[in-house]
Each structure stands twice: as structure tokens, then as C-alpha cells.
Amino acid sequence: MLFELSYTSGVRSFVTTNLDVLSNYDLVKNTNYTEVLRLYIESNGSVMEVADKLYLHRNTINYRISRIEELMNCNLDEFNTRLNIALAFMLLDVFGNEST
């Protein structure tokens, strides 16, 4: 279904609403919170799996997830929040350079 979409202002707005706060923070502060969030979503919320993939301690990942929730003003324990973020990442994957 995602491949049937075009990169309209609605799709762009959805991606922006769900990811721009974090990606802008990454640019300004030279962090990798967007990568951490993507891995967290892809790992179904497994802190250990994210820690293993990034070669970091689980407490570091827990801190970063808490910080991400603060920055995005969200609760990653909520299904709809995770769904929207996952969909935004999928849309970025589908549309790639069109998102910039």
C-alpha cells in the first residue's frame, strides 16, 4: 500500500510531525537518537536488542529512550505512538530523497 502513495503534502506532514523534532535534535546536538528510535521500533521495544546492535549498555539505551520520549513528548509504550513512528520510518524508506 505504501508504494501506491505519492509523496503528497499529507504524507510529508505525517513524516514531519512524527520524526522532525528528533532528526533536527540529532543535527544540532550530534546525537543518534533517530537511529536508536528506529532500532527500538524495529526491535519491538527490546532494549537489549538495541543495546546489542549498537554495542552499548542497556542503561544507556534506557536513558536515550527516556530522552527521546521527552524530546518528542510521547510515550513509546503506547501502541499508536509506536505505529505512527514505524509508519513514518517506512514512508521515509519508500520515498527516500523525496522527503528532503
Side-chain angles (χ1 to χ4, degrees):
M1 287 187 344
L2 293 178
F3 291 108
E4 298 296 320
L5 293 173
S6 60
Y7 200 67
T8 62
S9 61
V11 171
R12 187 177 307 112
S13 176
F14 181 82
V15 172
T16 299
T17 299
N18 284 283
L19 298 177
D20 268 11
V21 167
L22 206 55
S23 50
N24 289 336
Y25 185 86
D26 281 347
L27 287 173
V28 171
K29 299 292 187 175
N30 196 29
T31 58
N32 71 336
Y33 289 168
T34 304
E35 177 187 15
V36 170
L37 179 59
R38 180 186 281 263
L39 289 172
Y40 183 77
I41 296 294
E42 291 173 353
S43 301
N44 294 315
S46 171
V47 171
M48 285 306 297
E49 191 172 327
V50 176
D52 288 344
K53 287 180 180 179
L54 294 176
Y55 304 103
L56 295 170
H57 193 275
R58 65 181 173 80
N59 288 345
T60 302
I61 299 304
N62 281 325
Y63 170 79
R64 291 182 184 179
I65 294 301
S66 294
R67 187 71 180 116
I68 288 166
E69 288 178 321
E70 288 175 23
L71 291 167
M72 296 180 68
N73 192 29
C74 71
N75 180 351
L76 293 172
D77 290 332
E78 294 177 1
F79 172 77
N80 286 332
T81 300
R82 289 191 318 275
L83 178 63
N84 286 338
I85 292 169
L87 184 55
F89 278 127
M90 287 179 203
L91 289 167
L92 277 180
D93 292 344
V94 169
F95 292 108
N97 291 335
E98 292 179 51
S99 62
T100 59

